[in-house]
Amino acid sequence: MSSETLSPRMLALKSWVVATIPCEGNSLVLRQALREMRLHTLLIYYMAWVDRLIAPRKRRTKFAQNFWQGLSDHQLVNIRRIAQMSEKGDDLRPFLSRLVDTHGFTFSNVAPTPKKKWADGGRGNKDFALNTLDAHHLHLVARMADRRKGQSSDLLYVLVSRNEMNMVMLGDHKTFDDGRLKAAIARERFDDWKLSGITPPRGPDWTDEEERRLARNGFVRAEVVDDAVVLLNPTAMDGSSLFHVRHADKIMMFLHEWDAALDDPSERRRLEGRVALPLGSLDHFRWAFWYGDFCLLPSGGKGVCLFPWKR
């Protein structure tokens, strides 16, 4: 059980996060387990869940090389629809897995001997492709309630930033593990994530099955592209993306520095200078999230995004 002492504002933030993360079966047991966590740990769980959503922003569309090869007219129509919605800033949640609404925190997280459980298959809370490869996957057919009329096995794998949706490949659920997605992501990340001065390892290659088992247990090897080593998403051994952990770290460090300090008017002016925005009245304010963005909401004036999430 958490023994940390939190201010009323931080307690309010914690209560909101506890209430927001969807629990498997909406279980009271799981909700209580979230309440008993330290705030830092809770924020990591929140980021692992909320990053499975795609914040509605206007994003330009990019297509990976050879993306269009072998696609049917029906697939092309549905992909175009998703691209247009993304460019308009529409909500893409209906195209995501239904498990984003139910499996933000699951019984696998509180079992006597917790094991890594991925969300695919309905057993865990983490999206495998997102945590290991930083890639989202969308169904081509929107969900209405709990059903997709005309659903196929097609899954669209994309890389998402705040201003771009990069459509990497069309696959299915087997694509999580068969090596094609990993290779496609590495090729798309080549310019940004190539490791200069690193020689690719020589020797026998691991089999696809060995690669799959390693990744499913939280160890994702770098990929070799054009005789260069390309880093993939940094992942902790529990399967968590280190991007999620680092975002929670930054927020907690900020809260420890500023939460109590902002009761002092001079400290409020110092923060105004730091964020370069007028904060309005801070006599009554609260901490908040909008998707992954961490924000300060004053009682007067507009809210301020203090730590934007990378999507």
Side-chain angles (χ1 to χ4, degrees):
M1 181 180 295
S2 170
S3 59
E4 65 183 338
T5 301
L6 299 176
S7 71
R9 286 184 291 260
M10 292 170 72
L11 281 172
L13 174 66
K14 182 174 183 177
S15 295
W16 182 88
V17 173
V18 167
T20 299
I21 297 174
C23 291
E24 182 182 5
N26 200 24
S27 167
L28 295 177
V29 172
L30 296 180
R31 202 73 66 185
Q32 182 60 30
L34 291 173
R35 289 191 193 95
E36 293 176 357
M37 288 181 186
R38 297 181 68 84
L39 180 57
H40 179 246
T41 303
L42 181 64
L43 293 184
I44 295 172
Y45 275 105
Y46 172 77
M47 288 306 305
W49 167 70
V50 81
D51 196 30
R52 289 158 62 186
L53 310 180
I54 299 175
R57 308 182 196 277
K58 293 181 179 180
R59 296 178 174 89
R60 62 178 177 268
T61 306
K62 178 183 176 182
F63 297 96
Q65 187 177 12
N66 301 322
F67 174 85
W68 301 106
Q69 290 183 357
L71 300 184
S72 69
D73 290 344
H74 179 70
Q75 291 168 333
L76 293 175
V77 168
N78 286 313
I79 291 168
R80 179 187 174 106
R81 178 189 178 194
I82 291 173
Q84 290 175 333
M85 291 181 66
S86 176
E87 289 167 359
K88 291 189 297 182
D90 291 343
D91 188 0
L92 296 174
R93 189 164 181 157
F95 295 92
L96 302 176
S97 168
R98 61 180 176 80
L99 297 178
V100 300
D101 295 334
T102 57
H103 283 57
F105 190 66
T106 69
F107 285 103
S108 67
N109 300 118
V110 296
T113 54
K115 297 180 180 180
K116 276 180 282 296
K117 293 291 187 182
W118 304 99
D120 49 316
R123 295 179 298 275
N125 70 307
K126 292 185 178 69
D127 182 289
F128 178 71
L130 184 61
N131 282 267
T132 61
L133 298 174
D134 206 38
H136 285 80
H137 65 281
L138 299 95
H139 294 259
L140 294 191
V141 178
R143 176 165 49 99
M144 301 293 291
D146 238 9
R147 301 184 62 186
R148 298 182 196 275
K149 186 176 181 181
Q151 179 175 358
S152 69
S153 61
D154 294 328
L155 293 178
L156 178 63
Y157 291 90
V158 299
L159 296 173
V160 180
S161 67
R162 291 181 79 87
N163 54 21
E164 182 179 271
M165 176 176 283
N166 183 352
M167 299 198 175
V168 176
M169 66 177 293
L170 186 69
D172 53 30
H173 284 92
K174 295 179 181 178
T175 311
F176 284 107
D177 291 309
D178 66 10
R180 290 183 298 149
L181 179 61
K182 182 182 176 185
I185 295 294
R187 187 162 292 279
E188 287 302 299
R189 298 290 200 197
F190 184 82
D191 291 338
D192 297 325
W193 291 15
K194 178 181 67 173
L195 299 179
S196 301
I198 303 297
T199 302
R202 305 298 179 184
D205 291 332
W206 289 347
T207 66
D208 288 343
E209 177 60 19
E210 289 171 329
E211 292 271 12
R212 185 193 70 79
R213 289 182 180 179
L214 283 168
R216 288 280 169 179
N217 283 281
F219 180 76
V220 182
R221 292 205 310 165
E223 187 80 352
V224 177
V225 178
D226 296 338
D227 211 33
V229 177
V230 178
L231 184 68
L232 296 171
N233 201 48
T235 307
M237 293 305 291
D238 70 348
S240 299
S241 166
L242 292 184
F243 287 122
H244 299 155
V245 176
R246 182 57 184 146
H247 196 57
D249 289 345
K250 290 189 295 184
I251 292 168
M252 289 305 303
M253 287 188 288
F254 178 87
L255 288 174
H256 285 309
E257 178 181 359
W258 286 100
D259 181 72
L262 290 180
D263 290 327
D264 182 338
S266 65
E267 291 295 290
R268 299 175 196 173
R269 290 190 292 272
R270 186 165 70 93
L271 181 59
E272 280 190 341
R274 175 168 168 171
V275 300
L277 286 171
L279 298 179
S281 172
L282 289 186
D283 291 334
H284 301 284
F285 74 92
R286 61 189 176 93
W287 308 116
F289 280 97
W290 188 76
Y291 288 82
D293 293 349
F294 182 68
C295 307
L296 182 153
L297 298 183
S299 58
K302 296 177 63 175
V304 176
C305 179
L306 298 169
F307 292 102
W309 178 234
K310 64 177 187 168
R311 284 183 264 276

